[in-house]
């Protein structure tokens, strides 16, 4: 951050401080995801949003146990809007990690080298493409004919916008080129955008008609593309740049640069500014060149995308969480602005954390209206001496955005008073305590606190949990306030206990109620990993929920082992903490949840109402290590440790962080330490790197 001392560096945080800050960030990002992806009405700029994620990623990198129930790093975008039919992506549409300075880009390239274990003199060529500020789309062609288009959605499922995309004059309905060069199935991905000139024309027309004007070209493009009437889309002059692929039935090229050439040959528009850089220095020089001339472009860009050119390297690098390892977005520097902080309010999160929020005099920065900023915690307020009525500097880039950088003291009102952080919950008046060593103050009300109960219920039905059609946040809130829902299990008793009451509610009716009940019946069968995630256990996000489901296989198996693991000296606890990614901190939160009587009652209740499906391992054919538990130790020569783990998991193995009696193989590299020794003591099979590679083929 440019404002040193405004927020503690990640490496100086205690685990408890990091956890509290993580919770506040995750809640804020979830709000912005919905505003951006579902409503096409972002409340903050891309730079602000990216920087929020950057701080979150820094926290998770330093404290891996923080990947929990609502971790934004485990997902892309937001669930598809209900107005369009859903389209599952055969190949996920991932987002990109971000770089904010030259050092980040240099580290990205070095990370590629480390992962692939490249020789020092081996060049890493990078394709540099200006990052278009538009809407990501996927275009499906079968035997050369356009058949479907979809938005990115949440990365796994998008929205069917086929008819609207047909109105784009730049979109080829059939692909030109030699037949042998076109795969039978070809999914082209790109960005739909609007030029600045067309944006001005549309806003003039909107204003003349008395309609709402768009905040920026990206919003205009997204809103135009998601019209129910395709003729409206046709009138909006949308453009397209193609730059990637999804599902294909055959090889497309050997390098990314060659693929861009093929796209042009097939009739797709690609960005003419794209360039192939032979070195990191060349890529950064091109970035500076484009940044200097961006104002002269007729479309909005917010950075540069760097992609590893060799496609075989891209395949080896794969993806982590929501982003590929082989690409990164280098964002342009953002701006600062001055505004007035009107009030400071306190929000209570799902875990009871009290988070102060700065409510600002709305100000437009780079075409985006900013009206709120998180102040994180009471220490942050005290460090900056932020007060209501202050004139403050808002920064659009940095570790946490939007953020209050500093106070303009010469403009402070004479009657200004220091902000007094409450010691009682504003929602339920319960005592709010701050434990020693923690930065967060938490409400002690638990389930009697309406904010915590409501947030837990909202999480339970969120898209990556039960994802119940027709049961949105406003319905959960209304049903909770009226006493129809008190626990998660009550959701699945709505039909049996309150069918008539719901049908007779304002805005409902019998058909709407029946639709809800049908959705509830459909969702009464759920996979084990989604079920665990839905419980909202602290530090147990989608990634950790899947690890637990993979480890224990079934609902009964998981619960039995959680009971057994309460003995911290037993094998069950050792097995739990040996799961690669589940450390002692996550285990403590998980076991505390499973030991609490109220939570056990909820699990019993849900178990009687639902069908929780056993974990289904991916089909790995005749893999010799499917179902085996593998531990890597020491330095590997051919593969990096990261690539070795990815390869093992793709072949159906479980990668553990420690050796136990249940370990099948310990792969021993150079300078192996205590894990190799323990394997010998327990009689666990050890393999050299060459033996391991021979085993997996």
């Amino acid at each position: 951050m440019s404002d040193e001392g405004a927020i503690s560096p990640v490496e100086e945080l205690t685990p408890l401080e990091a956890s509290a800050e993580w919770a506040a960030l995750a809640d804020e990002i979830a709000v912005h995801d919905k505003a951006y992806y579902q409503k096409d009405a972002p409340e903050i700029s891309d730079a602000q949003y990216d920087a929020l994620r950057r701080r979150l990623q820094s926290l998770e990198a330093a404290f891996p146990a923080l990947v929990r129930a609502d971790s934004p790093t485990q997902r892309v975008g937001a669930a598809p809007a209900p107005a369009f039919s859903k389209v599952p992506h055969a190949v996920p549409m991932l987002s990109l990690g971000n770089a904010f300075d030259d050092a980040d880009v240099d580290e990205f390239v070095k990370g590629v080298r480390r992962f692939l274990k490249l020789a020092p003199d081996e060049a890493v060529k990078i394709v540099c493409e200006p990052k278009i500020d538009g809407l990501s789309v996927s275009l499906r062609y079968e035997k050369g004919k356009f058949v479907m288009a979809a938005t990115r959605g949440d990365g796994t499922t998008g929205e069917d916008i086929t008819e609207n995309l047909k109105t784009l004059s730049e979109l080829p309905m059939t692909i030109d080129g030699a037949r042998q060069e076109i795969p039978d199935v070809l999914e082209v991905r790109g960005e739909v955008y609007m030029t600045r000139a067309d944006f001005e024309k549309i806003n003039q027309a909107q204003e003349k008609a008395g309609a709402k004007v768009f905040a920026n070209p990206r919003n205009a493009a997204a809103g135009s593309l998601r019209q129910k009437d395709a003729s409206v889309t046709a009138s909006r002059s949308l453009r397209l740049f193609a730059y990637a692929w999804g599902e294909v039935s055959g090889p497309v090229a050997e390098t990314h640069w060659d693929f861009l050439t093929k796209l042009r040959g097939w009739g797709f528009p690609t960005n003419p500014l794209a360039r192939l850089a032979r070195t990191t220095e060349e890529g950064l020089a091109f970035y500076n060149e484009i940044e200097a001339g961006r104002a002269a472009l007729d479309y909005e860009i917010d950075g540069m995308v760097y992609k590893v050119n060799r496609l075989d390297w891209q395949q080896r690098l794969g993806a982590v969480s929501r982003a590929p390892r082989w690409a990164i977005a280098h964002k342009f520097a953002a701006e600062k602005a001055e505004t007035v902080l009107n009030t400071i309010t306190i929000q209570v999160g799902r875990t009871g954390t009290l988070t102060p929020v700065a409510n600002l005099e709305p100000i437009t920065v780079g075409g985006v209206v900013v009206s709120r900023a998180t102040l994180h915690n009471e220490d942050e307020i005290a460090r900056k001496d932020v007060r209501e009525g202050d004139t403050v500097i808002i920064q659009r880039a940095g570790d946490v955005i939007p953020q209050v950088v500093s106070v303009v003291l010469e403009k402070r009102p004479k009657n200004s008073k220091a902000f007094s952080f409450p010691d009682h919950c504003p929602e339920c008046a319960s005592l709010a305590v701050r434990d020693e060593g923690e930065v967060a103050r938490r409400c002690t009300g638990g389930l009697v606190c309406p904010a915590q109960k409501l947030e837990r219920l909202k999480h339970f039905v969120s898209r990556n949990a039960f994802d119940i059609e027709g049961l949105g946040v406003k319905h959960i809130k209304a049903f909770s306030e009226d006493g129809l829902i008190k626990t998660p299990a009550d959701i699945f008793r709505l039909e049996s206990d309150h069918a008539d009451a719901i049908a007779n509610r304002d805005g409902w009716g019998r058909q709407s109620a029946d639709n809800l009940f049908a959705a509830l019946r459909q969702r009464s069968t759920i996979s084990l990993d989604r079920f665990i995630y839905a419980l909202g256990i602290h530090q147990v996000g989608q990634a950790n929920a899947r690890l637990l489901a993979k480890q224990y296989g079934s609902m009964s198996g998981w619960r039995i082992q959680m009971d057994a693991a309460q003995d911290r000296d037993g094998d069950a606890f050792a097995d739990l903490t040996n799961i690669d990614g589940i450390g002692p901190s996550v285990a403590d939160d998980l076991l505390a949840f499973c030991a609490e009587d109220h939570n056990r009652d909820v699990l019993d209740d849900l178990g009687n109402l639902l069908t929780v499906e056993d974990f289904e391992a991916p089909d790995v054919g005749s893999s010799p290590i499917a179902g085996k538990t593998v531990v890597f130790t020491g330095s590997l020569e051919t593969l990096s440790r990261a690539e070795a783990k990815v390869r093992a998991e793709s072949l159906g193995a479980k990668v553990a962080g420690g050796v136990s009696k249940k370990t099948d193989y310990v792969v021993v590299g150079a300078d192996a330490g205590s894990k190799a020794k323990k394997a010998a003591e327990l009689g666990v099979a050890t393999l050299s790197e060459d033996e391991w590679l021979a085993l997996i083929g």
Side-chain angles (χ1 to χ4, degrees), residues 392-447:
V392 293
I393 302 298
I394 304 300
Q395 184 169 276
R396 295 180 52 203
D399 287 332
V400 184
I401 293 299
Q403 66 165 307
V404 176
V405 176
S406 59
V407 175
V408 183
L409 292 175
E410 57 269 26
K411 294 185 180 181
R412 170 168 284 171
K414 293 181 179 179
N415 60 350
S416 172
K417 294 181 180 179
F419 181 76
S420 178
F421 204 91
D423 57 8
H424 283 75
C425 174
E427 296 287 342
C428 68
S430 297
L431 186 66
V433 300
R434 179 176 176 180
D435 294 335
E436 185 177 352
E438 287 201 10
V439 70
R441 188 175 290 273
R442 298 180 187 275
C443 168
T444 59
L447 289 177

Side-chain angles (χ1 to χ4, degrees), residues 129 187-190 242-246 256 259-260 263 307 326:
E129 302 174 42
E187 191 180 328
V188 176
R189 291 176 175 174
Y243 52 67
W245 69 92
H256 190 81
F259 176 70
L260 292 178
L263 281 175
K307 301 175 182 177
W326 47 266

Side-chain angles (χ1 to χ4, degrees), residues 337-349:
E338 184 178 295
T339 189
V340 175
L341 191 159
N342 292 322
T343 59
I344 298 174
T345 54
I346 304 297
Q347 292 184 345
V348 183

Side-chain angles (χ1 to χ4, degrees), residues 116-130:
L116 299 176
K117 296 187 77 72
L118 300 180
D121 58 346
E122 190 160 11
V124 178
K125 293 182 180 180
I126 301 292
V127 176
C128 309
E129 302 174 42

Side-chain angles (χ1 to χ4, degrees), residues 28 33 66 71 116 138 170 263-264 320 347 350 359 449 468 492 499 592 670 686:
E28 186 172 5
D33 276 345
L66 287 180
S71 179
L116 299 176
S138 180
E170 294 181 319
L263 281 175
R264 291 189 290 273
V320 56
Q347 292 184 345
R350 177 168 53 84
N359 299 287
C449 177
I468 300 170
F492 293 94
T686 58

